[in-house]
Amino acid sequence: MANTSPLQPGDEIELEITNIAHGGVSVARHDGRVVFVADAIPGERVRARVTEARKKSFARAVTLEVLEASPDRRPHVWPEAALERDPEERAGGAEFGHIALERQRALKAQVLAESLQRFAGVERDVTVEAAPGDDEANGLGWRSRVRLHVDPETGAVGPYAARSRTIVPVESLPLAVEGVNMIAPLDEPMHHLVSIDLIAPSADDPRMLITAEEDVARAGENDAVRELVGDREFLVRAGGFWQVHREAPEVLFTAVRDAVIALDEAGRVDAGAANLDLFGGAGLLAAAMAEAVGPALKVTTVEADPGATDDAAENLSELVGALAVTARVDRYLADLLAAPAAVRDRFRRSTVVLDPPRSGAGGAVSQQLGELAPANIIYVACDPVALARDTATLLGLGYELGPVRAFDLFPHTHHLEALAVFTRV
């Protein structure tokens, strides 16, 4: 019979790592209880310290020592996050930095496939595609935006420790692009500040956005910066949303464009319909839709942030049929569903692209989309579980899941980006 004595924070235990879980942690069992373990790799045996044991069914732990290493274990790409440091002093943001890139992608593909199967009942093998240049750079030098925090007592600057709010001073930012590293004040005390955002736009000078103790807004966050996607220029607020990986805007632009082209070749796209770009940001994916079907495209991009909507209006100004609307997506869709039937019917021929936040579109928005019944939905997701849950909703509303692609746009972390195409049956 298994020992059912509860684990306590601080306990040190040996564990056989058997699987990967969503969130960048591995899975083990101890006396019948699931233990989620940080800084390990499936197939390893480790000595770990329990950090949380609030429920009898599972606990959380962090690796202290690797007793039997995976062949995919590598020296951590960020010394300040390495196993040799005390877990409370390991920098966060590179939780897969001890794993070979190829294995990282395999683990991410596994999480996505298992999420689709568990939450949506869909069996789908997915390959996580590398972004251009990442293999050659060992997955380093890709972050064009980094947030650092300031210790209120010492003024020291650094990221948070993994899974905590402890600020860890660091000497390097290996995941960041050169422009970010050039301006990072890693060895300077920055008293009276709360945080520092470092951004390096692809077609503009790097800059810092500073939040002082007494401020709500970040200084410089509304400045316009220029980003290049292929030969297309986008204006974006410095503090607004833009993809973090230096290659991500072009990767996703191309993926959405190609998905629309494939739907168009199948006779499913109507350029003159009431096409939508939801959670549209600065208009990147609406522009991809236009490149796929031409300047006659009619598309409304919907975004809750007024600054981003202004940027989208500017970036899509060459498209006569483009409209940028400031609204919460759920409220915008609710208004459409309350409109006369003749208005709603225009959306049955439409293609909808959506790129929601990490929490996903959610059941409410997915339900609204099902009721609106567009011909096609192209869903860009940065969380596999959120995508899987929304997939289950859409499948139940009469949609069929088509191609699914995944992209490794966050090397050395557990995050990935995915694109799923849904068509109304």
Side-chain angles (χ1 to χ4, degrees), residues 101 105 108 129-135 137-146 175-177 200 202 227-229 241-252 284 407-413 415 417:
L101 275 179
R105 293 174 189 142
K108 295 178 188 187
E129 304 172 35
D134 277 354
D135 283 335
N138 189 32
L140 304 179
W142 56 267
R143 286 195 72 102
S144 62
R145 283 156 170 75
V146 172
L175 301 190
V177 298
S202 57
E227 297 279 3
L228 278 181
V229 180
F241 173 78
W242 190 251
Q243 292 289 337
V244 171
H245 193 295
R246 67 183 189 285
E247 299 291 341
E250 185 156 2
V251 167
L252 295 177
L284 174 71
F407 307 95
D408 191 15
L409 301 183
F410 306 89
H412 300 299
T413 83
H415 299 293
E417 205 85 15

Side-chain angles (χ1 to χ4, degrees), residues 28-250:
R29 286 188 176 271
H30 183 267
D31 291 338
R33 293 187 181 89
V34 172
V35 184
F36 297 108
V37 190
D39 303 328
I41 308 173
E44 293 188 325
R45 187 166 66 90
V46 305
R47 182 170 62 89
R49 180 186 298 154
V50 177
T51 58
E52 180 184 339
R54 291 186 296 176
K55 298 181 179 180
K56 292 183 179 180
S57 58
F58 75 91
R60 297 186 185 277
V62 62
T63 301
L64 299 177
E65 180 185 3
V66 178
L67 304 175
E68 294 180 9
S70 164
D72 297 311
R73 180 169 283 274
R74 300 288 184 270
H76 205 290
V77 297
W78 197 0
E80 289 91 341
L83 202 66
E84 290 74 20
R85 292 176 68 106
D86 185 280
E88 295 181 358
E89 298 177 359
R90 294 176 193 167
E95 62 276 7
F96 275 7
H98 60 289
I99 308 174
L101 275 179
E102 185 175 352
R103 182 70 183 281
Q104 290 182 35
R105 293 174 189 142
L107 292 172
K108 295 178 188 187
Q110 179 183 338
V111 169
L112 176 56
E114 290 179 353
S115 298
L116 288 170
Q117 195 283 324
R118 178 183 177 188
F119 293 101
V122 172
E123 299 285 348
R124 188 66 61 92
D125 290 330
V126 181
T127 299
V128 177
E129 304 172 35
D134 277 354
D135 283 335
E136 295 81 355
N138 189 32
L140 304 179
W142 56 267
R143 286 195 72 102
S144 62
R145 283 156 170 75
V146 172
R147 173 165 290 184
L148 301 175
H149 306 276
V150 181
D151 188 301
E153 295 182 3
T154 66
V157 175
Y160 285 136
R163 299 166 291 279
S164 88
R165 295 289 176 173
T166 300
I167 295 168
V168 180
V170 296
E171 296 181 2
S172 62
L173 298 170
L175 301 190
V177 298
E178 182 180 359
V180 165
N181 276 288
M182 284 173 51
I183 63 172
L186 299 180
D187 55 356
E188 305 172 33
M190 306 292 282
H191 295 287
H192 310 298
L193 299 181
V194 174
S195 64
I196 301 168
D197 287 277
L198 309 171
I199 69 168
S202 57
D204 226 321
D205 295 329
R207 62 197 65 203
M208 286 192 280
L209 310 181
I210 293 173
T211 304
E213 291 174 345
E214 67 278 6
D215 292 340
V216 175
R218 296 168 291 174
E221 67 178 7
N222 289 318
D223 293 348
V225 298
R226 294 175 300 139
E227 297 279 3
L228 278 181
V229 180
D231 58 0
R232 180 189 290 267
E233 183 175 282
F234 289 82
L235 289 179
V236 184
R237 305 297 164 102
F241 173 78
W242 190 251
Q243 292 289 337
V244 171
H245 193 295
R246 67 183 189 285
E247 299 291 341
E250 185 156 2

Side-chain angles (χ1 to χ4, degrees), residues 31 113 115 187 212 227 230 247 257 279 309 312 316 365 384 400-401:
D31 291 338
S115 298
D187 55 356
E227 297 279 3
E247 299 291 341
R257 181 200 66 194
F279 307 97
T309 307
L316 302 172
V365 168
E400 182 177 81
L401 177 62

